[in-house]
Amino acid sequence: MENGQKILIIDDEEVVLDSCTEILQGSDYEITTATDGGRGLKLVQEFRPDLVFVDLKMPGISGFEVLEKIREHDSTVVTIVITGYATVSSAVEAMKKGAYDFLPKPFTPDEFRLITRRGLEKRTLVLETMALRRERELLRENFAAIVSHELKGPLSAVQQNMFVLEQELAGTASEDQKRRLDRMKTRIKDLLQLVDRWLRGMSVDIEAMKENYQPLAVSSAIEKAVESVLPQAVRKDIEIVTSVEESAGQVMGDEGALTEALVNVLGNAVKYSPTESKVSIAWERKDNQVVISVSDTGVGISEEDLPFIFNGLYRAKSAEGAESGLGVGLAISRRIIEAHDGSISVQSKLGEGSTFVITLPAIEG
Amino acid sequence: MSERKRLLIVDDDPDFVEGIRAILEGADYETDVAYNPKDGFQALKRRAYDLLLLDIMMGRGAEGIMMARKIRKDPELKELPVLIITGIREQIAFLFPGKGVHPGYVPVDEFVEKPVEPEHLLERVRSLLDAAATRKGKASR
């Protein structure tokens, strides 16, 4: 990055251009000069400098205007103003417009070398920051694919061998052994589905999803969500009680996504409830909204934890000792519900249970 | 016609391969394995196979897709039935933004998802082999 960086100097005094060029002679920099703003700006586009020195006091286009144009063209180009007055006020004004530093005339060769090096270092940093930002964005986009491969790969291999083992032992395994195999298969299947759900929630393109919104019955999404968490509930001997008002109505949305949002909320209710308890889900029409509430008598959420539970990768302290699991699910639910112009909120008391309330705008039909 | 069918599995996960290989051999298929597309291609050139089972995510990325495309362009191999076995579905958005994988993008005959139930795998394999036999029968008539 240090080598071959490009410097453009714009100044109407040829003597300044010559001396600057001379001072940097023998360095690795590539230097070009312009005697007025118009030519300078043309070079900004053609020569693509990393660092531009701009004289503030020039005939024709003013230094300030040049600075602004450079910024418009490429805000990552580092600019340093040369000012004959050495007045702090004009230099400050220029730096407000985005100049990185200023160089008062007259200057010594050392001063010029130093400010050049600093300017180029700044440019390197700016470019590196941009590259990192791009990389981070790319990582987020590819996260789903990477996680998919890294997490699901091993799980698939285990499950595939489990299938074979089950076949191979079919005639000889005892009932107990078969149950054990079943249990292992079920848990791996759950885990694979969990990975899928999280990936979909995190990588789903909300805008693309909105284009495919259709009128759908809330009850249908709820039924599917209940069906999905039922195995976990049965395992803990938890009863899921549903109560519906017949005319709860329809909403505009993506059924798969809404079901997923509900599965996360319902799944949490089951996860944090004691065995042999009840989880209830009720929905009704209130004015022009569909209101869905999910209640449990589980561990509850403490007041201090409440504000954070929809923020992702958050697991309430009070949940320690209960089943493990990070709170990604609720963040995904919120993302989905907000994409449907709805809202999700929670009321909870530690040790007594929680009630999640989801509201969605209803449509007639 | 009672000759055993020979299948080639190309997948970079030996543990997974072990899982499907056992199922296929249990159903009386002969199987060979290559753990990367390069070896897979060499195997296909060395001898004739009745079906290819191909993973997508191998090596540095979606190399299975490149391999499928290369096979479809190869005059000797383009009739080979290809069954993709993959762990990725819609999550493959980075390859085809916003779209799931389907035969419109990857020129293969069918997809199954990892892990695959033995019955489902065998059924897919059988139907692809049958379809290929029918094609061949028509061509020779």
Side-chain angles (χ1 to χ4, degrees):
Chain A
M1 201 69 228
E2 300 282 312
N3 293 343
Q5 280 179 302
K6 295 178 184 173
I7 301 166
L8 169 64
I9 306 163
I10 309 171
D11 198 313
D12 60 326
E13 290 178 70
E14 299 253 2
V15 60
V16 173
L17 298 178
D18 289 347
S19 56
C20 285
T21 309
E22 203 168 299
I23 292 167
L24 296 179
Q25 208 90 78
S27 59
D28 279 334
Y29 312 131
E30 212 179 302
I31 302 156
T32 296
T33 60
T35 48
D36 64 66
R39 249 169 282 190
L41 285 173
K42 208 159 161 261
L43 281 170
V44 167
Q45 304 204 2
E46 288 164 8
F47 176 61
R48 304 168 70 82
D50 296 291
L51 172 63
V52 185
F53 286 95
V54 183
D55 184 13
L56 277 187
K57 189 82 180 154
M58 287 185 294
I61 305 172
S62 82
F64 282 110
E65 214 179 318
V66 172
L67 283 177
E68 213 149 293
K69 289 262 166 63
I70 294 175
R71 219 177 145 64
E72 275 170 30
H73 171 68
D74 179 356
S75 62
T76 68
V77 173
V78 175
T79 49
I80 294 173
V81 298
I82 306 172
T83 162
Y85 307 134
T87 49
V88 174
S89 65
S90 58
V92 167
E93 192 55 36
M95 285 170 77
K96 273 188 194 159
K97 287 212 152 70
Y100 172 61
D101 206 347
F102 69 100
L103 180 65
K105 277 195 265 194
F107 47 82
T108 67
D110 260 353
E111 282 166 354
F112 182 63
R113 274 190 216 104
L114 181 69
I115 202 166
T116 299
R117 207 180 64 225
R118 285 190 56 236
L120 288 172
E121 276 169 7
K122 165 76 177 170
R123 166 74 171 170
T124 306
L125 278 177
V126 168
L127 291 181
E128 273 173 9
T129 308
M130 271 177 53
L132 282 174
R133 224 173 260 158
R134 247 198 320 270
E135 202 170 294
R136 192 184 59 187
E137 201 43 41
L138 207 64
L139 195 68
R140 200 190 67 80
E141 284 168 17
N142 289 352
F143 182 73
I146 296 163
V147 174
S148 175
H149 192 47
E150 301 298 320
L151 283 184
K152 289 180 69 189
L155 284 173
S156 301
V158 172
Q159 188 78 317
Q160 199 65 54
N161 281 278
M162 205 75 91
F163 288 152
V164 177
L165 193 62
E166 192 185 32
Q167 276 194 335
E168 287 168 346
L169 297 178
T172 52
S174 70
E175 284 308 307
D176 276 350
Q177 286 168 329
K178 279 181 190 160
R179 260 200 300 280
R180 254 187 278 287
L181 273 175
D182 260 344
R183 211 170 290 157
M184 287 191 271
K185 262 174 35 188
T186 308
R187 298 308 291 262
I188 294 172
K189 186 170 155 235
D190 287 352
L191 201 47
L192 279 164
Q193 280 174 350
L194 185 74
V195 173
D196 271 340
R197 272 217 306 282
W198 282 8
L199 288 172
R200 272 204 299 279
M202 276 184 282
S203 64
V204 68
D205 182 343
I206 296 278
E207 292 310 312
M209 186 176 78
K210 282 184 179 172
E211 282 171 22
N212 297 319
Y213 277 3
Q214 283 174 348
L216 62 97
V218 178
S219 47
S220 151
I222 291 177
E223 270 166 35
K224 286 188 176 132
V226 170
E227 200 176 303
S228 164
V229 299
L230 207 55
Q232 280 102 304
V234 168
R235 234 179 279 152
K236 289 180 74 174
D237 210 357
I238 289 170
E239 188 187 351
I240 299 180
V241 185
T242 54
S243 65
V244 56
E245 191 193 281
E246 213 45 65
S247 60
Q250 292 196 314
V251 297
M252 280 301 282
D254 180 289
E255 186 172 274
L258 271 184
T259 304
E260 208 148 298
L262 290 167
V263 165
N264 288 330
V265 175
L266 264 175
N268 268 2
V270 169
K271 187 192 272 181
Y272 295 119
S273 287
T275 47
E276 293 176 32
S277 63
K278 273 182 192 166
V279 166
S280 31
I281 178 162
W283 60 106
E284 59 180 336
R285 176 76 175 263
K286 266 189 192 157
D287 301 327
N288 48 5
Q289 287 186 315
V290 177
V291 181
I292 306 165
S293 58
V294 176
S295 308
D296 65 64
T297 55
V299 293
I301 304 157
S302 75
E303 225 166 286
E304 57 189 282
D305 288 330
L306 273 178
F308 306 108
I309 61 162
F310 294 110
N311 289 354
L313 287 177
Y314 185 83
R315 189 175 147 230
K317 274 195 233 113
S318 46
E320 275 169 24
E323 276 189 61
S324 60
L326 291 161
V328 179
L330 287 178
I332 291 171
S333 291
R334 183 174 80 168
R335 200 167 163 232
I336 293 171
I337 286 158
E338 286 178 354
H340 285 81
D341 298 318
S343 66
I344 178 167
S345 61
V346 59
Q347 286 189 322
S348 186
K349 221 166 184 183
L350 205 56
E352 290 180 17
S354 313
T355 299
F356 285 82
V357 177
I358 296 166
T359 58
L360 294 163
I363 54 166
E364 300 309 321
Chain B
M1 202 49 231
S2 63
E3 203 175 295
R4 291 168 77 197
K5 297 287 184 192
R6 183 172 285 271
L7 319 181
L8 179 67
I9 303 167
V10 179
D11 190 315
D12 65 350
D13 184 340
D15 292 326
F16 181 80
V17 167
E18 201 44 54
I20 52 170
R21 193 175 197 178
I23 294 167
L24 294 167
E25 292 190 342
D28 210 30
Y29 292 110
E30 277 186 50
T31 59
D32 286 332
V33 180
Y35 295 108
N36 59 62
K38 194 166 156 266
D39 291 352
F41 235 86
Q42 280 172 3
L44 288 174
K45 289 288 173 187
R46 238 187 342 260
R47 61 179 307 165
Y49 286 95
D50 297 298
L51 179 87
L52 171 68
L53 295 110
L54 180 63
D55 182 27
I56 285 191
M57 295 300 284
M58 288 186 284
R60 278 165 302 156
E63 289 186 8
I65 289 177
M66 320 302 168
M67 179 161 185
R69 290 197 173 137
K70 218 169 138 192
I71 285 171
R72 284 299 178 253
K73 283 185 193 148
D74 189 307
E76 284 171 43
L77 298 174
K78 64 177 199 284
E79 295 296 322
L80 178 72
V82 179
L83 174 63
I84 290 263
I85 303 188
T86 179
I88 46 179
R89 284 183 305 182
E90 65 265 45
Q91 292 96 344
I92 198 161
F94 73 112
L95 283 172
F96 316 105
K99 301 277 181 3
V101 180
H102 64 74
Y105 293 92
V106 191
V108 298
D109 300 286
E110 210 158 337
F111 287 82
V112 296
E113 204 179 337
K114 283 183 183 182
V116 51
E117 294 270 0
E119 272 320 305
H120 184 62
L121 174 67
L122 292 175
E123 189 189 299
R124 298 292 79 185
V125 166
R126 252 194 316 272
S127 84
L128 284 177
L129 288 173
D130 287 350
T134 312
R135 270 204 307 271
K136 219 180 258 173
K138 272 186 189 151
S140 62
R141 225 176 288 160

